[in-house]
Amino acid sequence: MDTSDDREKGHVVSDVSSDDDARELANLGKKPVLRRNFSTLAILGLSCTLMVTWEGMFSVFVFGLQNGGPAGLIYGFLFVWVGYGCVVATMGELVSMWPTAGGQYHWVHMLAPDGWKSILSYITGWQSVIAWQAISASDGVLTATAIQGLVVNSRPDYVSERWHGTLMAIALVSICLMFNSFFSKGLPHVETATLSLHVSLFVIVSVIITVMSPEKSPNSNVWTLFLNDGGYESKGLSFFVGLITPVFAFTGVDGAVHMSEEVRNSSRVVPRAMLGSVLINGVTGFAMLIAILYCLGDIEAALNTPTGYPFIEIFTYATRSISGGTAVSALVVVMFGACGISTLASASRQLWAFSRDKAVPNPRMMTYVHPKMKVPVVSIGVTALVSVLLSIINVGSTTVFNAVVSLSVSGFFGSYILPFSLLLHKRIRYPEQIAKAPYSLGRWGVPINAFAIAWSVLVLFFSFWPQNIPVTPENMNWSVLLWGAVNIFAIVFWIAHGRKVYKGPIVETHIEGARIVEGA
């Protein structure tokens, strides 16, 4: 029921008994404090924009081209697409059971055996936090360095300095911060518009390069040409190392999960949006990959381009014009920037949820929600600050920064494997204990869960491999060291601090007294 205080604050408040979202959240013991203004289309847009698969593939295209080559990229993409489909299907069932912003660590606590719930949940939560903070920082730097690549392509006399890219990255993070704070009420509209841009630019770019390309690669150079330019003796091994390109292109599939407390009818809508985003991004990504490989031109020129990004060289070749190639490439870079807005949103919500359960220092400050904007402004600000600080690392050492970026893939999959494994164990041994949910895998649950786990372990394993051998300090993949350090940190921090304050997801309210703030 409405009160005069609620009306004065400009909020429309409804009793929980008439609101399915509030009832679901109250059943999980959480107070609804964020504005639920994400529609089905808006959360689909956010999920698609987080991955920006056909665009994001270009940012790490060089890795798959070196290890695997054109044919490796094609078959690797299909393998990764199927794997992510099973991951999202499993994740969709979990978020349908427990639709909270916490995501993986909350699921682990609900599924783990007594005595292990808190510590396993705690370790999973820190992996997810670190992964999201790392990917948020990488978005800004990747976009900034791609902008530098555009300048190099159009002005060969430009001397690209790392500090130039860092300054641009800080500016981009500031823009993302504004959209997530001052303009947060309109964020769902931004995500819906970005979804339209995501699809329309795919059509524009693919038509331009296929129509204008002066020469098409023969079928044999697309479907059967495997390359091993990374130095590995076996092309099979090289293929798996090169999977990082399509894997990175789908990174962030759990982003919609962490926005679930801002989505209407989230237990039904979020799983569908996640599956829809994998379908849309898979189709557009695979179609763009085929188009690019047929219009590739000189592979060596693409690999050794001074811009640092092969797609800029490929577009320049396809359009037969420096200005044309720069313009088409700029369309892709625009989507890199749009991805940063969505990434900051999801990363901050994940941090906020973990803080809400007292898993990080100074949780009271970290969980502050602005009374008018209805967003966790401190967690948003801290995430933006972390992105700025990590981007500064790039000035001193690109190798160190790349190590931080590579941590995102291992962190994400590290946070997926445990809840998936616990769900599979529960499904096989104690199926009657699995919570009922609007979205369920039913009889397909066991094979899909099992494949998602096996595939995630495989991807996690090869995410630690260097792209080139012999290995030097400059080309070493340091993510295995950092991933191990994150797990050691989580365990040590658990012993020193976490076990005293973290008892799993806190029960803040009960369904009898819950109330929800509607987005308006």
Side-chain angles (χ1 to χ4, degrees):
M1 298 175 62
D2 290 349
T3 66
S4 58
D5 289 341
D6 293 326
R7 294 191 194 97
E8 289 174 5
K9 293 177 181 178
H11 302 152
V12 180
V13 184
S14 64
D15 189 86
V16 66
S17 62
S18 62
D19 193 291
D20 290 339
D21 291 310
R23 184 161 45 246
E24 286 181 341
L25 203 56
N27 277 329
L28 298 175
K30 296 302 181 184
K31 292 180 179 180
V33 296
L34 305 179
R35 178 183 287 113
R36 281 191 189 268
N37 60 343
F38 273 82
S39 64
T40 302
L41 195 59
I43 196 62
L44 175 64
L46 180 137
S47 190
C48 284
T49 306
L50 272 169
M51 290 183 276
V52 285
T53 299
W54 72 262
E55 304 96 329
M57 184 169 54
F58 291 131
S59 66
V60 289
F61 194 68
V62 63
F63 301 138
L65 206 54
Q66 284 181 332
N67 290 293
L73 280 168
I74 288 177
Y75 304 119
F77 187 97
L78 292 174
F79 177 61
V80 168
W81 189 9
V82 171
Y84 264 116
C86 291
V87 164
V88 167
T90 302
M91 200 178 295
E93 187 173 40
L94 288 166
V95 74
S96 189
M97 295 178 195
W98 302 293
T100 76
Q104 295 92 301
Y105 82 85
H106 192 115
W107 305 337
V108 167
H109 193 274
M110 300 300 290
L111 293 167
D114 294 337
W116 291 93
K117 289 180 178 291
S118 295
I119 185 170
L120 293 180
S121 173
Y122 192 77
I123 293 172
T124 301
W126 272 111
Q127 287 197 76
S128 186
V129 166
I130 298 299
W132 273 107
Q133 296 298 314
I135 199 69
S136 182
S138 70
D139 278 333
V141 173
L142 285 173
T143 305
T145 52
I147 293 174
Q148 286 183 287
L150 297 177
V151 178
V152 170
N153 195 52
S154 56
R155 294 287 301 272
D157 59 330
Y158 166 66
V159 180
S160 179
E161 299 285 354
R162 287 200 295 267
W163 65 269
H164 296 172
T166 296
L167 287 179
M168 281 191 285
I170 293 173
L172 290 165
V173 170
S174 300
I175 294 172
C176 294
L177 176 62
M178 291 176 61
F179 273 100
N180 277 276
S181 53
F182 300 111
F183 306 143
S184 59
K185 192 173 182 180
L187 185 59
H189 302 296
V190 172
E191 299 298 348
T192 302
T194 307
L195 174 61
S196 300
L197 192 64
H198 175 59
V199 176
S200 59
L201 286 183
F202 158 74
V203 176
I204 293 171
V205 172
S206 58
V207 168
I208 288 175
I209 61 173
T210 52
V211 171
M212 297 188 65
S213 180
E215 184 179 358
K216 303 296 188 295
S217 300
N219 290 333
S220 59
N221 283 3
V222 175
W223 299 95
T224 61
L225 179 60
F226 289 89
L227 297 179
N228 185 15
D229 290 348
Y232 288 97
E233 294 182 3
S234 166
K235 287 186 178 180
L237 181 58
S238 180
F239 166 82
F240 283 104
V241 173
L243 285 179
I244 192 64
T245 290
V247 166
F248 190 80
F250 280 97
T251 297
V253 291
D254 60 310
V257 169
H258 305 301
M259 302 295 293
S260 59
E261 293 183 36
E262 296 165 70
V263 180
R264 299 174 188 141
N265 200 15
S266 59
S267 62
R268 292 172 175 81
V269 168
V270 172
R272 295 172 185 169
M274 293 166 63
L275 287 167
S277 65
V278 170
L279 177 62
I280 292 172
N281 279 4
V283 170
T284 55
F286 188 66
M288 181 61 73
L289 177 61
I290 297 299
I292 287 294
L293 293 177
Y294 269 106
C295 304
L296 190 58
D298 187 347
I299 294 180
E300 289 302 318
L303 288 174
N304 299 312
T305 174
T307 66
Y309 288 90
F311 75 90
I312 299 177
E313 177 65 30
I314 295 169
F315 289 162
T316 301
Y317 167 79
T319 58
R320 291 171 283 183
S321 164
I322 290 178
S323 58
T326 302
V328 176
S329 300
L331 299 178
V332 176
V333 176
V334 166
M335 290 305 301
F336 289 174
C339 176
I341 298 173
S342 304
T343 303
L344 179 59
S346 292
S348 61
R349 296 329 189 262
Q350 200 281 331
L351 176 60
W352 169 75
F354 205 41
S355 303
R356 178 175 58 178
D357 292 321
K358 297 184 178 180
V360 303
N362 202 352
R364 185 173 182 179
M365 180 187 73
M366 295 292 290
T367 54
Y368 174 74
V369 175
H370 194 277
K372 291 185 178 180
M373 291 188 285
K374 292 296 171 185
V375 292
V377 290
V378 175
S379 292
I380 292 171
V382 168
T383 301
L385 179 60
V386 170
S387 296
V388 168
L389 294 177
L390 290 178
S391 66
I392 293 175
I393 295 175
N394 191 56
V395 177
S397 173
T398 301
T399 302
V400 175
F401 178 78
N402 289 339
V404 174
V405 173
S406 63
L407 176 63
S408 60
V409 172
S410 55
F412 279 128
F413 282 97
S415 72
Y416 299 162
I417 292 170
L418 189 55
F420 292 1
S421 300
L422 291 170
L423 176 62
L424 180 62
H425 175 263
K426 187 82 72 174
R427 192 186 295 278
I428 295 174
R429 295 292 301 275
Y430 311 104
E432 70 282 356
Q433 296 182 10
I434 296 179
K436 301 295 183 183
Y439 168 82
S440 174
L441 295 176
R443 61 178 180 173
W444 294 100
V446 171
I448 290 176
N449 293 170
F451 184 81
I453 295 166
W455 182 83
S456 297
V457 170
L458 179 70
V459 169
L460 178 64
F461 175 70
F462 279 104
S463 72
F464 298 140
W465 287 60
Q467 292 299 313
N468 297 280
I469 56 174
V471 179
T472 66
E474 287 72 28
N475 66 21
M476 172 63 182
N477 186 345
W478 296 99
S479 62
V480 63
L481 177 63
L482 293 180
W483 185 70
V486 168
N487 284 280
I488 293 172
F489 163 80
I491 294 172
V492 172
F493 201 55
W494 165 259
I495 296 172
H497 178 263
R499 63 188 176 87
K500 302 174 186 177
V501 296
Y502 182 73
K503 307 300 179 184
I506 294 173
V507 177
E508 301 173 331
T509 187
H510 297 283
I511 191 167
E512 292 80 7
R515 294 157 66 84
I516 184 169
V517 177
E518 301 277 5

